[in-house]
Amino acid sequence: MNVLPEIEADIPPQVPAAQREALIKLGFQGKAAIYLPETARYDHLAALPAGTNVGEAIRDAMIAIEASVTDQQGNKLLEGALPKDYLGLEQDLLAELIKIFNRPALQTAKGDVFGRIYEYFLNQFAQSGAQEGGEFFTPPSLVRMIVNVIEPDHGAVLDPACGSAGMFVQTGHFIEEVRHKHTVDTDIIFYGQEKADLNSKLARMNLAVHGLEGQIRIGNTFYDDHHQLLGQCDFVMANPPFNVDGVQVAKIKSQVGDNQTGRLPFGLPGIATKTKGKNNGDGETISNANSLWIQYFYAYLNETGRAGFVMASSASDAGNKDRDIREQLVNTGHVDVMMAIGNKFFYTRSLPCTLWFFDKGKPQDLQDQVLMIDARNVYHVVSARSHVFTDEQLANLNAIVWLYRGEREKFIALVARYQRQVDNWLAAIPARIQADTAAVQALAVPLQAFASQATLAELNADQAEDAQISQAQLDAFKAELAAAQADTHVADSIAALLTACTQSRAAIAQADLSDHAAQVALQATLDALGPQLKATGKLLEARHKQWLKLLDTAEKQLRARQSKAFDGKAARDVKRALLAADSKKNEAPTVRDVVLDALKQAAYFIHQVHWLHSRFPQALFEDVAGLCKAVSIDDIAANDYSLTPGRYVGVAAAAEDDEDDFAETLRGIHAELAELNDKAVELAGRIAGNFEELLG
């Protein structure tokens, strides 16, 4: 959000220019925004006279920004982080880009606009496979899940494998959206360490564009501990590289137990055979560094600290020394939650993972158990290669943690939010159905005019004998059109649905949504409405197809455009309203789209409540087969200290509400099939081309 107009409004107009700029800079203090020197602002760059070297001006702007963005101690947070190689780029293109970003829509946009833009491009960068397979870019779904569970909202927050600082940015979103505060108004500071120089620059820029203050240091966390925060962190979050080998034992021995640094309180994991090489030097190496990361995250926490991190699934069951480390860790009572995540959440790799959560401030009654959640069957298909959590899936999984912690009021508030969403969508349905019906009626007008006034003579004019339209064909069309107009089934179903929507909205208005019993009683009414919403959606789609087929018959088989009675333009305009918008072309939603969306969304939020109530009917935590279980330390010991959720939660019984999960599975299969078909076509083309080349 551009806070400059707000700051300038508080400065008297008679203040001299030099003093005015100093007051503007002062005004940015205490706001989650970056102060830009006047020469680095879009309006200044957009107003440069013709012939100016725009690349040079942008380079100078970057230098000025680096000099001006400092923390409270005066340290330059972006020094060396911003790109400056603009001199070789096309000057007209640079000028046009500046004009795009200087548009009024962006200048007056509300919220964290440029931060969100930066996040978008970072995600696109990650999906392209950049930076060693993209392991430094944690998928937003996993970042949000970690932040939602550990709830970082104060104190020292550390990510010792910070990549592009996505964990810190999501923490900022959490503070603003859940705690309803600005990060500048909270006692929080971010500490990051990153091995790659490029990623550290991305991280510093990411913090800056979101108005966050943090210290990012370059270093290999196995050997370097630049922040020296052992036992001092309120929160630790990370997505470290998995299954790293080659860490030199000689360089980390001092970290064990109460020795020099104490970052490895439970000892060294397995050691590989001695190796020789220019990278590792001579000596022993750690065979797999997963247990190093796990211990680091635990050791950095203070006595009430929480940690959440991504880890390879294999780390939950690894044997030998890794198993011994897990035993010591489990016996502390500080392992809080283990959550299994399915395939395809990472951008460039199809591998499952596990989210680990520690809580050194766990209440006494939970210290002898661990919450196991198997979320491998919870996902939304984006493409054949990519799965994500929807907002509701994130919230529903988080609700399990709330109930486990005894935070029943949060669960009830989530259900209330869903039921209010149902009300919002039900309110939108009547007007959208009316618009959809009006579009169908508008299409009926040119079709009826054609059916009643068209003659065979005009339709068959200048046509070959074998292409002549018969009276029987025209009569068949008239009969089909008359049947469509006389059919009252859809109208009756719509009337019944609208009555049910009105009754359901009245029930929502009368219910006390802060009371669980009232929510359950209301949900019985909404559950009955769900199938009606879906059925009406299917009827509307069938009606669309029926009338579009009539139009297609008139135009293609009966040559309606040759009839003076047929208004082709009106028919084509209405046809557009009854077809789905092309998302690849960024087309606006059509009349058809918006009515079906309202019906689907209302049914969707009804299903979200049903999902929660069917598993936790008393709004209290309980074990759910195939999903979650509170496991005692004794049970974990009996399972050789495995922390794999699937070993404990079992398999879910078939349930009647698995329709949405089944649809998600089918969507994934369809996406994979489509990708395979595309590859087959591409391969066939290459084979054909090679064959032609061989034949000369």
Side-chain angles (χ1 to χ4, degrees):
M1 180 174 63
N2 185 4
V3 299
L4 181 59
E6 175 188 339
I7 294 172
E8 287 183 321
D10 293 333
I11 301 175
Q14 64 270 22
V15 173
Q19 186 180 351
R20 184 181 189 82
E21 193 61 30
L23 291 174
I24 288 174
K25 187 173 183 178
L26 184 63
F28 270 82
Q29 296 179 8
K31 294 185 181 290
I34 302 176
Y35 165 77
L36 296 179
E38 190 172 6
T39 56
R41 295 173 196 161
Y42 278 118
D43 53 0
H44 171 81
L45 295 171
L48 290 173
T52 301
N53 188 321
V54 181
E56 188 175 296
I58 296 177
R59 180 203 62 193
D60 293 343
M62 294 295 182
I63 294 172
I65 293 170
E66 286 187 352
S68 65
V69 179
T70 60
D71 60 17
Q72 295 178 356
Q73 286 73 43
N75 299 311
K76 296 179 180 179
L77 299 175
L78 289 178
E79 187 171 18
L82 300 182
K84 304 179 186 68
D85 48 349
Y86 295 96
L87 297 180
L89 298 177
E90 186 178 332
Q91 299 298 300
D92 291 343
L93 174 62
L94 289 173
E96 186 61 30
L97 284 173
I98 288 172
K99 291 178 182 177
I100 289 173
F101 279 93
N102 197 48
R103 288 175 178 172
L106 283 175
Q107 290 180 336
T108 58
K110 302 295 183 183
D112 186 17
V113 175
F114 283 97
R116 295 292 187 176
I117 291 172
Y118 188 84
E119 285 180 68
Y120 171 80
F121 282 111
L122 270 181
N123 285 325
Q124 296 301 306
F125 181 50
Q127 291 180 51
S128 71
Q131 284 301 292
E132 301 178 31
E135 68 262 36
F136 295 112
F137 297 89
T138 315
S141 284
L142 302 188
V143 178
R144 292 178 64 189
M145 192 75 255
I146 288 172
V147 170
N148 288 351
V149 171
I150 69 173
E151 301 177 334
D153 58 4
H154 68 275
V157 181
L158 172 68
D159 183 346
C162 70
S164 57
M167 299 283 183
F168 298 154
V169 170
Q170 187 56 41
T171 296
H173 294 328
F174 174 82
I175 291 171
E176 292 183 359
E177 296 166 10
V178 179
R179 296 294 190 250
H180 305 295
K181 296 180 179 179
H182 289 295
T183 52
V184 294
D185 299 325
T186 58
D187 177 24
I188 191 166
I189 185 166
F190 300 107
Y191 299 92
Q193 187 161 299
E194 171 53 46
K195 181 180 178 182
D197 179 60
L198 173 61
N199 290 316
S200 71
K201 292 178 179 179
L202 292 174
R204 285 191 283 158
M205 286 191 286
N206 208 3
L207 289 175
V209 297
H210 287 89
L212 303 175
E213 185 173 311
Q215 299 178 22
I216 308 296
R217 300 287 183 265
I218 298 176
N220 183 332
T221 300
F222 295 127
Y223 308 133
D224 305 318
D225 184 21
H226 291 308
H227 295 296
Q228 296 289 308
L229 292 172
L230 186 70
Q232 300 177 49
C233 294
D234 296 278
F235 302 96
V236 175
M237 300 178 286
N239 173 29
F242 301 163
N243 304 320
V244 174
D245 57 13
V247 177
Q248 298 175 52
V249 173
K251 290 187 176 182
I252 63 171
K253 273 187 176 181
S254 63
Q255 300 172 16
V256 175
D258 295 326
N259 289 334
Q260 184 179 342
T261 65
R263 289 200 293 155
L264 297 174
F266 308 125
L268 292 175
I271 296 174
T273 56
K274 291 188 176 182
T275 60
K276 285 189 176 182
K278 62 181 180 180
N279 293 326
N280 294 327
D282 297 342
E284 296 176 320
T285 59
I286 298 298
S287 58
N288 189 309
N290 290 341
S291 288
L292 296 180
W293 287 116
I294 292 168
Q295 293 187 77
Y296 291 159
F297 303 146
Y298 181 83
Y300 282 123
L301 295 176
N302 61 27
E303 59 186 14
T304 60
R306 287 179 174 177
F309 54 93
V310 191
M311 185 51 61
S313 295
S314 59
S316 308
D317 264 324
N320 302 318
K321 291 290 184 66
D322 294 285
R323 179 262 181 213
D324 297 340
I325 289 170
R326 277 199 316 279
E327 176 180 356
Q328 296 178 71
L329 181 62
V330 168
N331 287 330
T332 65
H334 296 151
V335 180
D336 190 24
V337 182
M338 299 293 297
M339 185 180 298
I341 307 294
N343 291 318
K344 302 182 181 179
F345 274 78
F346 289 92
Y347 293 127
T348 55
R349 300 178 183 181
S350 177
L351 79 165
C353 66
T354 304
L355 303 185
W356 293 52
F357 298 95
F358 300 153
D359 185 355
K360 287 190 176 181
K362 280 173 68 174
Q364 191 66 37
D365 61 316
L366 296 180
Q367 289 200 1
D368 65 344
Q369 57 187 322
V370 176
L371 173 60
M372 299 286 180
I373 299 176
D374 191 345
R376 289 176 296 174
N377 293 320
V378 180
Y379 58 85
H380 173 68
V381 176
V382 175
S383 69
R385 303 181 189 182
S386 177
H387 291 174
V388 300
F389 289 135
T390 64
D391 289 347
E392 290 71 38
Q393 288 170 336
L394 282 165
N396 294 347
L397 291 171
N398 201 22
I400 300 172
V401 180
W402 293 337
L403 292 181
Y404 172 72
R405 292 173 175 167
E407 298 172 332
R408 188 172 186 256
E409 70 286 351
K410 292 183 179 179
F411 179 92
I412 293 172
L414 176 62
V415 170
R417 192 173 82 210
Y418 287 159
Q419 291 181 330
R420 290 191 188 97
Q421 284 278 50
V422 173
D423 186 46
N424 293 338
W425 286 108
L426 293 182
I429 287 174
R432 297 189 183 194
I433 286 183
Q434 184 179 10
D436 185 81
T437 300
V440 171
Q441 292 171 344
L443 180 57
V445 172
L447 292 177
Q448 182 59 49
F450 167 71
S452 61
Q453 300 175 40
T455 65
L456 288 177
E458 64 180 347
L459 298 179
N460 289 326
D462 302 322
Q463 297 294 325
E465 186 175 348
D466 60 353
Q468 297 285 308
I469 295 169
S470 67
Q471 186 63 46
Q473 287 177 287
L474 191 56
D475 288 343
F477 173 77
K478 291 178 181 180
E480 193 175 352
L481 178 62
Q485 291 175 316
D487 185 8
T488 61
H489 178 57
V490 177
D492 292 342
S493 297
I494 288 173
L497 174 68
L498 293 179
T499 299
C501 287
T502 299
Q503 293 171 345
S504 296
R505 293 200 66 209
I508 294 172
Q510 293 170 8
D512 179 3
L513 295 185
S514 65
D515 178 69
H516 173 65
Q519 290 179 340
V520 171
L522 171 62
Q523 191 60 26
T525 299
L526 299 181
D527 281 342
L529 178 63
Q532 201 171 352
L533 290 163
K534 293 179 181 180
T536 302
K538 291 177 181 178
L539 283 174
L540 291 180
E541 286 190 279
R543 184 169 74 170
H544 299 151
K545 291 177 182 178
Q546 179 186 32
W547 283 92
L548 290 171
K549 180 184 176 185
L550 284 167
L551 176 61
D552 191 65
T553 300
E555 290 188 321
K556 295 181 179 178
Q557 296 181 24
L558 301 179
R559 296 190 287 272
R561 295 179 187 180
Q562 293 188 202
S563 171
K564 294 179 181 179
F566 181 69
D567 187 344
K569 182 180 184 304
R572 287 191 295 275
D573 289 344
V574 179
K575 177 182 179 180
R576 185 75 216 94
L578 296 180
L579 288 172
D582 189 341
S583 59
K584 293 181 180 179
K585 296 180 181 178
N586 291 320
E587 292 180 349
T590 64
V591 169
R592 167 204 177 275
D593 294 331
V594 296
V595 67
L596 294 179
D597 187 51
L599 295 168
K600 289 177 181 178
Q601 290 295 332
Y604 174 78
F605 283 103
I606 290 172
H607 175 73
Q608 299 311 309
V609 178
H610 183 82
W611 192 93
L612 291 170
H613 277 179
S614 63
R615 288 157 176 80
F616 308 102
Q618 305 302 320
L620 297 170
F621 178 81
E622 56 186 86
D623 297 341
V624 179
L627 179 63
C628 61
K629 184 174 183 178
V631 182
S632 70
I633 289 180
D634 289 341
D635 286 340
I636 295 174
N639 283 274
D640 204 28
Y641 289 94
S642 168
L643 289 175
T644 299
R647 178 174 288 199
Y648 301 97
V649 304
V651 179
E656 80 260 6
D657 68 335
D658 281 347
E659 181 181 342
D660 284 30
D661 296 336
F662 180 66
E664 209 52 83
T665 301
L666 281 183
R667 191 177 292 113
I669 294 172
H670 180 267
E672 289 186 19
L673 179 61
E675 184 179 40
L676 289 173
N677 286 337
D678 290 343
K679 288 182 178 178
V681 171
E682 180 186 351
L683 182 59
R686 288 167 59 188
I687 291 173
N690 292 339
F691 187 68
E692 291 291 333
E693 201 175 303
L694 284 173
L695 293 179

